[in-house]
Amino acid sequence: MILWSMQILDEMPVFYNLNAVEKREVLIVILQIVRNLDDASLVKAWQQSIARTRLFFKLLEECLVLFEHRKPADGMLMGCSSRSPVGDGPASPKYSDRLSPAVNNYLSEASRQEVRPQGTPENGYLWQRVNSQLSSPSQPYSLREALAQAQSSRIGASAQALRESLHPILRQKLELWEENLSASVNLQVLEITEKFSMMAASHSISTDYGKLDCITAILMSFFSRNQPLSFWKALFPVFNNVFDLHGGTLMARENDRFLKQVTFHLLRLAVFRNESVRKRAVIGLQLLVKSSFYCFMQTARLRVMLIITLSELMSDVQVTQMKPDGTLEESGEARRLRKSLEEMSDEAKSPNLLRECGLSDSALVTIPERSEENRWSWSEVKYLSDSLLLALDGSLEHALLGSVMTMDRYAAAESFYKLAMAFAPVPDLHIMWLLHLCDAHQEMQSWAEAAQCAVAVAGVVMQALVARNDGVWSKDHVTALRKICPMVSNEITSEASAAEVEGYGASKLTVDSAVKYLQLANKLFSQAELYHFCASILELVIPVYKSRRAYGQLAKCHTLLTSIYESILEQESSPIPFTDATYYRVGFYGDRFGKLDRKEYVYREPRDVRLGDIMEKLSHIYESRMDGNHTLHIIPDSRQVKADELQPGVCYLQITAVDAVMEDEDLGSRRERIFSLSTGSVRARVFDRFLFDTPFTKNGKTQGGLEDQWKRRSVLQTEGSFPALVNRLLVIKSESLEFSPVENAIGMIETRTAALRNELEEPRSSEGDQLPRLQSLQRILQGSVAVQVNSGVLSVCTAFLSGEPATRLRSQELQQLIAALLEFMAVCKRAIRVHFRLIGEEDQEFHTQLVNGFQSLTAELSHYIPAILSEL
């Protein structure tokens, strides 16, 4: 029998020239022969040559193709010739005469099993036991006779017509036989594959031990075809044994294509409605994780592989479905996939799941050779599972937005951002979504955010180059880039090399691509007028041109740098403080906001966007999401909101203008903040803290007299810093300080004093001398000592230094207030003297007005502070 079967391998061209029915008969005979061989005979048969072994497994693949249980119209028992259409040649008087004894044997076994495997509507199996009482007088005695009659009478011109000519009961029995025949063939091929795997483990046969392509090809044929539940139950114990024996080879880079296909099909099975199949897919994923631990001590490459295949699967899985009200919700397929990924890392459920799938409780124990330590780590499996869930959630959220994306650009940008972060382990996918996000920001004219996306893409490329020592950059350059875009990771890991999968990988990332995106970022930052970032980016491009001796490009870079530094100098020397953006705190309160409910965000808007503009914009976005039972209301002030006390059925937006906080700023200072961002030189404007002041009184009113006016300073910490990859950042921390009325008064006076002192000490950086800026000094002096505008200082004295209020002040507060007033007047006197030295004849009259105003103010203050005359 061995010689006969090997002779068939030599006649493969003849075999491929047979029609489908003839091929099936030959393959059935071969399977019968192999079934009756003992292990020693199999070893002898597979020892002849690698070529013969491959041919044998090619025949097994043909078995899986020809005996696949397809639609009834493509039934295997009624298949027609592949060489001629139905109707050519003489018809057999009896269908069973065309079948070999081996096929008849399979049919006989199938006919004794007239109950189909019980399934559920999800897998399409709804067959019941054939009921003999439903037969009619016209029903043939047996299926074989009916087939013979149908073919002899040549009803129709196709297998489908022959099938439809059968009585419904016989059609049902025919489908049953075909399914049982398919399952029997698949199970026998699986058994042969397991034997081959065991023999290959001992290197006693001839095969390609580098890739084990015979095994991988058969496994892929199994996974890529529809199979009955009985087959899936038998497959995964064999799958476990094969990976236990050959995990090192199957998980190697040479088998990336095979591993990628396996992960894809396991994730596909994880979506099945049939719980038994779905659970086995979970076990299959766990078995791959075990092999990854065994072979590599970690799961980085497997995580990359799973993320890639999940991305590809998302195009086949419908993650959303329509609700009766016309809105979208998560589909059943997405929920089942989510459940599978969660169960994958569920340590408590794992033992029962293993036993249910025919494996022992210790099936996941991973102890490599020459080691006693179990390498399996549930925490790492949880990290792997969470990474996949993050990708699923990002894809789902993106799909749920649907048509809203065109209206709500903030949510659209966040959706692209979440997808970019979810697929970050795969550079190709990470870059793809970052570029989508960059395009979205450019459409919104959010130049700084678009530039950050370009910097992030350049960072991905630079990290890959640094990781493989292939480029002109080092870790220090990545650190410098991270100061521009904090999202760029500062850790150079092996993730880039782990992502080298067929069709994907960091090997396609080059120095030229990094320079391309750095130049794009430079252009976008220039449009945003954030020139300090432009300078930092060009400093990263210059080393590339230096290494290439590209002197023309170097000249262009340095010319561009000159222009950039001149722009920075202009911003610093301007009497009007430079602002690149405005910031607003937005609070969401109401169940129609979904995940945004009871959350606060800080929005970054262009510098010309005012409070009324963003109120109108957000109202337009969210009014469209209200239904008949909900309305939208804008809270007009910045008071603290008690969400539980808000009116049901109303969704609230609270929008407040906020100020960015400098890194070294004293938030506990009583001073007003009108000059806080104008002092010093223009620095890298990266902000993650914001504040706003809310006036209030103890009697519940918002405004009151100076003696009753309190102030609450709220400080917000955001999740990340601006400018960011998105236009809004979540508030993760909020603190508040309260200032008493006298502290407010002292702070107001100290603010004016600081503004004057700043003008006296600020040099003219454009000329390099130490003279203050005359125009700015005149503006502040006029607002400080002119009689018509100095009522602020006098009102403070009236409120706190006369009558009953003065008796309520503590001694320390009284001394601080008087000291602040005296210092203010002293700085005004000094500023007037400096002003006199700077002016020409045309400003003499204005100077006289300033002197008169100062003298009048001094006289008024002497009524409250007699010592002021001697001090000045």
Side-chain angles (χ1 to χ4, degrees), residues 182-352:
S182 175
S184 179
V185 168
N186 276 270
L187 289 171
Q188 189 166 344
V189 173
L190 179 63
E191 181 183 353
I192 294 170
T193 305
E194 184 177 27
K195 288 183 178 181
F196 181 84
S197 171
M198 296 171 65
M199 294 173 185
S202 62
H203 286 249
S204 58
I205 56 178
S206 298
T207 187
D208 175 15
Y209 288 101
K211 294 182 66 174
L212 291 174
D213 50 1
C214 293
I215 295 177
T216 58
I218 291 295
L219 287 177
M220 288 323 307
S221 294
F222 286 147
F223 277 113
S224 60
R225 288 176 169 77
N226 293 324
Q227 304 285 2
L229 179 58
S230 58
F231 177 80
W232 294 122
K233 287 181 177 180
L235 173 64
F236 283 95
V238 175
F239 184 80
N240 179 44
N241 292 337
V242 170
F243 271 83
D244 278 348
L245 294 171
H246 306 287
T249 301
L250 299 178
M251 300 289 289
R253 288 192 181 276
E254 291 75 15
N255 268 321
D256 269 355
R257 176 179 294 184
F258 161 72
L259 190 59
K260 184 166 173 279
Q261 289 176 323
V262 168
T263 55
F264 178 86
H265 287 296
L266 286 175
L267 289 174
R268 181 180 62 86
L269 293 175
V271 182
F272 271 37
R273 289 192 182 97
N274 187 292
E275 275 292 290
S276 186
V277 174
R278 189 191 62 77
K279 289 177 180 178
R280 281 166 170 78
V282 174
I283 290 298
L285 292 171
Q286 289 181 332
L287 294 176
L288 288 182
V289 174
K290 180 184 76 169
S291 295
S292 184
F293 280 133
Y294 184 87
C295 300
F296 309 115
M297 310 301 177
Q298 43 82 18
T299 61
R301 283 192 64 248
L302 180 61
R303 180 160 62 96
V304 167
M305 196 80 68
L306 284 166
I307 290 174
I308 289 172
T309 52
L310 181 62
S311 172
E312 295 174 351
L313 184 68
M314 287 297 99
S315 62
D316 296 334
V317 173
Q318 185 175 347
V319 295
T320 61
Q321 61 189 21
M322 192 76 72
K323 293 196 293 186
D325 61 0
T327 59
L328 295 175
E329 66 175 356
E330 184 178 12
S331 69
E333 291 182 353
R335 283 194 294 269
R336 290 191 295 275
L337 181 56
R338 181 187 308 281
K339 183 178 180 181
S340 298
L341 295 177
E342 289 171 349
E343 288 180 355
M344 174 183 168
S345 61
D346 193 330
E347 184 177 2
K349 291 183 178 179
S350 182
N352 289 335

Side-chain angles (χ1 to χ4, degrees), residues 57 69 94 143 186 275 442 534 589 685 800:
F57 275 89
H69 183 64
K94 197 170 183 181
L143 175 61
N186 276 270
E275 275 292 290
Q442 290 185 69
C534 296
Y589 307 95
R685 306 179 73 83
F800 296 102

Side-chain angles (χ1 to χ4, degrees), residues 375-423:
R375 297 289 185 180
W376 181 271
S377 169
W378 280 109
S379 61
E380 191 162 346
V381 178
K382 181 70 165 62
Y383 177 63
L384 171 60
S385 171
D386 289 344
S387 299
L388 297 173
L389 287 169
L390 187 65
L392 175 60
D393 289 338
S395 302
L396 174 63
E397 186 171 327
H398 189 72
L400 287 174
L401 282 176
S403 59
V404 179
M405 290 183 68
T406 57
M407 180 182 297
D408 189 352
R409 295 300 182 90
Y410 302 105
E414 282 186 347
S415 175
F416 286 127
Y417 170 76
K418 289 179 180 178
L419 284 168
M421 294 301 100
F423 293 105

Side-chain angles (χ1 to χ4, degrees), residues 399-449:
L400 287 174
L401 282 176
S403 59
V404 179
M405 290 183 68
T406 57
M407 180 182 297
D408 189 352
R409 295 300 182 90
Y410 302 105
E414 282 186 347
S415 175
F416 286 127
Y417 170 76
K418 289 179 180 178
L419 284 168
M421 294 301 100
F423 293 105
V426 186
D428 300 64
L429 298 177
H430 187 42
I431 289 173
M432 179 187 74
W433 289 114
L434 284 174
L435 293 178
H436 277 304
L437 180 57
C438 183
D439 291 341
H441 282 311
Q442 290 185 69
E443 290 179 8
M444 297 170 63
Q445 296 187 350
S446 299
W447 308 119
E449 288 74 16

Side-chain angles (χ1 to χ4, degrees), residues 473-763:
W473 292 300
S474 65
K475 292 183 180 180
D476 293 338
H477 292 103
V478 175
T479 302
L481 196 67
R482 193 169 184 272
K483 292 179 181 178
I484 303 172
C485 180
M487 195 216 75
V488 176
S489 174
N490 203 29
E491 298 180 3
I492 308 298
T493 65
S494 60
E495 289 288 323
S497 61
E500 293 291 344
V501 178
E502 183 187 24
Y504 300 83
S507 60
K508 296 184 293 183
L509 307 180
T510 63
V511 173
D512 287 335
S513 62
V515 170
K516 170 186 173 182
Y517 292 114
L518 286 173
Q519 290 174 336
L520 174 60
N522 176 66
K523 174 187 173 183
L524 294 169
F525 274 133
S526 180
Q527 288 180 272
E529 298 185 56
L530 295 174
Y531 298 112
H532 47 285
F533 284 142
C534 296
S536 300
I537 285 173
L538 285 178
E539 294 292 346
L540 293 170
V541 175
I542 287 174
V544 177
Y545 295 140
K546 280 186 177 180
S547 68
R548 297 175 177 178
R549 298 183 180 181
Y551 299 118
Q553 296 293 341
L554 282 171
K556 290 181 181 178
C557 280
H558 285 289
T559 301
L560 195 54
L561 270 176
T562 301
S563 174
I564 287 170
Y565 285 127
E566 287 176 351
S567 298
I568 293 175
L569 196 59
E570 183 180 348
Q571 287 180 350
E572 288 188 352
S573 59
S574 172
I576 302 175
F578 172 74
T579 56
D580 61 293
T582 53
Y583 298 92
Y584 298 94
R585 187 276 309 255
V586 180
F588 296 85
Y589 307 95
D591 53 7
R592 288 294 294 179
F593 289 127
K595 292 181 179 180
L596 299 180
D597 185 22
R598 303 198 182 195
K599 290 184 179 179
E600 292 183 348
Y601 287 83
V602 172
Y603 283 64
R604 184 182 187 275
E605 295 292 321
R607 60 171 173 258
D608 59 346
V609 173
R610 298 294 174 255
L611 184 61
D613 299 329
I614 190 170
M615 283 184 174
E616 181 180 356
K617 185 189 298 186
L618 295 182
S619 296
H620 178 67
I621 290 173
Y622 292 105
E623 278 178 352
S624 62
R625 302 189 186 183
M626 300 297 114
D627 56 13
N629 300 321
H630 293 80
T631 57
L632 183 68
H633 177 71
I634 305 292
I635 299 176
D637 51 49
S638 58
R639 69 179 186 271
Q640 290 180 321
V641 176
K642 297 180 180 178
D644 295 331
E645 298 178 2
L646 295 176
Q647 182 179 350
V650 179
C651 294
Y652 295 87
L653 283 175
Q654 186 183 39
I655 307 174
T656 309
V658 296
D659 293 328
V661 178
M662 302 298 288
E663 185 178 353
D664 55 355
E665 187 171 349
D666 179 13
L667 297 179
S669 172
R670 297 170 295 209
R671 297 179 185 177
E672 298 174 0
R673 304 191 64 261
I674 55 176
F675 301 103
S676 61
L677 296 182
S678 64
T679 58
S681 61
V682 177
R683 289 170 282 181
R685 306 179 73 83
V686 177
F687 306 118
D688 64 356
R689 292 188 302 166
F690 303 85
L691 65 78
F692 60 94
D693 293 334
T694 306
F696 71 99
T697 63
K698 294 295 185 179
N699 58 16
K701 295 181 180 180
T702 301
Q703 299 288 343
L706 282 177
E707 65 277 10
D708 298 319
Q709 189 67 65
W710 288 69
K711 180 174 67 178
R712 179 181 296 108
R713 174 164 294 171
S714 300
V715 182
L716 310 175
Q717 176 84 41
T718 55
E719 188 179 39
S721 58
F722 287 109
L725 297 181
V726 289
N727 305 79
R728 66 183 181 189
L729 293 175
L730 179 67
V731 175
I732 58 175
K733 185 180 180 182
S734 179
E735 297 176 339
S736 62
L737 303 171
E738 289 187 355
F739 297 98
S740 66
V742 68
E743 287 178 315
N744 282 334
I746 296 171
M748 179 186 70
I749 297 169
E750 289 178 342
T751 300
R752 297 190 179 190
T753 305
L756 266 176
R757 184 180 289 111
N758 179 64
E759 289 302 320
L760 294 174
E761 297 174 354
E762 183 72 19

